[in-house]
């Protein structure tokens, strides 16, 4: 892409890692791709849960690094970490955030986190919006410029993946007014 740069939105998770690729220009943005990277627990009986988590974490890190390098990403945007009620879910979330933090530091790419209420407010005008309302707001706001990304996603993913892909997209859109993104845009 000429005359711009790329940011990604992410929704970190070990089973479903949502992502969105956004092309930024000086005064507009286009969603180029949305999707979900997936890993599944092994079905092998002789593999411990710890070993399985490690293998899945490496697979997820490999996919994320490929996306970052392939798209030449300038910034990563995500919803702030929240703690799920179950300890095992919290551990898996922590693993994916560790991957994200490590990759950010190693590749020199900033991670911008946004509060869930700020994301909802930015996209829908209310802090109590449901996930489907956020998705509909994104589809409406970007229906012309980004319709190819939505079509490709709708054709290649199950409806259950929408939450993860659109959470990632919402985080990136909400971060457009963040000082780091504004600084990046000022250089374009």
């Amino acid at each position: 892409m000429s005359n711009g740069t790329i940011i990604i939105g992410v929704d970190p998770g070990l089973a479903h890692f949502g992502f969105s690729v956004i092309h930024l220009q000086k005064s507009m943005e286009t969603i180029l791709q949305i999707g979900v990277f997936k890993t599944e627990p092994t079905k092998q009986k002789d593999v411990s849960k710890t070993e399985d988590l490690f293998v899945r974490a490496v697979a997820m890190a490999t996919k994320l690094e490929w996306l970052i390098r392939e798209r030449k990403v300038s910034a990563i945007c995500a919803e702030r970490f929240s703690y799920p009620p179950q300890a095992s879910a919290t551990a898996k979330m922590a693993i994916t955030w560790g991957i994200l933090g490590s990759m950010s530091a190693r590749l020199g790419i900033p991670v911008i986190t946004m509060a869930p209420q700020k994301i909802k407010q930015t996209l829908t005008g209310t802090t109590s919006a449901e996930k489907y309302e956020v998705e509909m707001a994104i589809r409406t706001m970007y229906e012309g410029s980004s319709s190819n990304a939505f079509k490709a996603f709708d054709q290649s993913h199950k409806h259950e993946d929408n939450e993860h892909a659109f959470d990632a997209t919402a985080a990136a859109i909400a971060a457009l007014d963040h000082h780091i993104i504004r600084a990046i845009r000022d250089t374009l």
Side-chain angles (χ1 to χ4, degrees):
M1 291 259 124
S2 61
N3 299 325
T5 191
I6 299 291
I7 64 168
I8 60 172
V10 296
D11 179 37
L14 197 55
H16 299 91
F17 194 108
F19 68 90
S20 177
V21 178
I22 299 179
H23 178 238
L24 288 184
Q25 292 176 298
K26 188 79 168 170
S27 60
M28 68 172 287
E29 59 280 344
T30 305
I31 301 168
L32 299 178
Q33 180 184 12
I34 58 177
V36 178
F37 294 135
K38 298 179 184 181
T39 67
E40 293 187 22
T42 184
K43 295 188 182 356
Q44 295 178 329
K45 302 274 188 228
D46 61 338
V47 175
S48 72
K49 286 184 180 181
T50 301
E51 290 170 318
D52 183 54
L53 287 175
F54 179 76
V55 168
R56 292 172 68 195
V58 169
M60 194 61 72
T62 301
K63 292 173 185 182
L64 180 60
E65 184 167 0
W66 174 84
L67 178 67
I68 290 169
R69 289 185 184 280
E70 179 74 16
R71 293 296 193 157
K72 299 176 178 63
V73 171
S74 297
I76 302 167
C77 310
E79 184 177 307
R80 287 203 179 121
F81 185 86
S82 58
Y83 294 88
Q86 296 123 349
S88 66
T90 301
K92 291 172 188 168
M93 288 290 296
I95 289 169
T96 59
W97 275 92
I99 292 168
L100 194 58
S102 173
M103 201 157 300
S104 165
R106 193 165 45 82
L107 300 175
I109 300 170
V111 174
I112 300 162
T113 61
M114 304 297 294
Q117 296 79 8
K118 171 72 173 162
I119 293 170
K120 292 176 184 179
Q121 179 74 43
T122 299
L123 289 159
T124 68
T126 178
T127 59
S128 60
E130 299 292 328
K131 289 190 180 287
Y132 75 90
E133 293 172 306
V134 171
E135 177 182 341
M136 291 313 299
I138 293 167
R139 286 181 183 270
T140 301
M141 290 166 59
Y142 292 92
E143 87 181 315
S145 66
S146 303
S147 59
N148 288 341
F150 299 143
K151 286 178 191 171
F153 175 78
D154 292 339
Q155 292 172 354
S156 64
H157 289 79
K158 297 178 183 176
H159 181 71
E160 67 193 36
D161 293 335
N162 286 24
E163 171 184 338
H164 308 290
F166 282 93
D167 279 356
T169 306
I173 293 169
L176 291 174
D177 196 39
H178 190 277
H179 68 92
I180 292 174
I181 300 298
R182 287 195 319 265
I184 290 170
R185 275 194 150 148
D186 286 345
T187 67
L188 299 177

